[in-house]
Amino acid sequence: MVKILIGVGLGFLLFTNPEARQITGDLLRSAGDAIAPAKEGKTIQNRMQDAVLEKVQEKI
């Protein structure tokens, strides 16, 4: 019940405060840019896979 009230309170704050909406929008946009594949280059899945492979190869 407390979690629901906290969620409603945060939702109300974000809905009524323009600065909070702008910050939330910027954070969501930057997260989407980080996840979205680049037009040139590797996707985040490929970058993570390469990092794991490098760690495994270091141990060999």
Side-chain angles (χ1 to χ4, degrees):
M1 184 69 178
V2 174
K3 291 180 183 179
I4 292 172
L5 290 175
I6 291 173
V8 169
L10 286 173
F12 181 76
L13 173 70
L14 292 175
F15 184 74
T16 58
N17 188 343
E19 293 172 355
R21 281 192 288 177
Q22 182 65 41
I23 292 169
T24 304
D26 291 343
L27 289 173
L28 290 172
R29 189 174 297 116
S30 64
D33 290 342
I35 293 172
K39 293 181 181 176
E40 295 180 17
K42 299 180 178 180
T43 63
I44 192 167
Q45 180 180 2
N46 290 338
R47 288 184 284 182
M48 291 174 67
Q49 185 178 19
D50 290 345
V52 170
L53 287 175
E54 287 177 12
K55 290 288 185 183
V56 170
Q57 289 174 351
E58 288 177 1
K59 291 183 179 182
I60 296 178

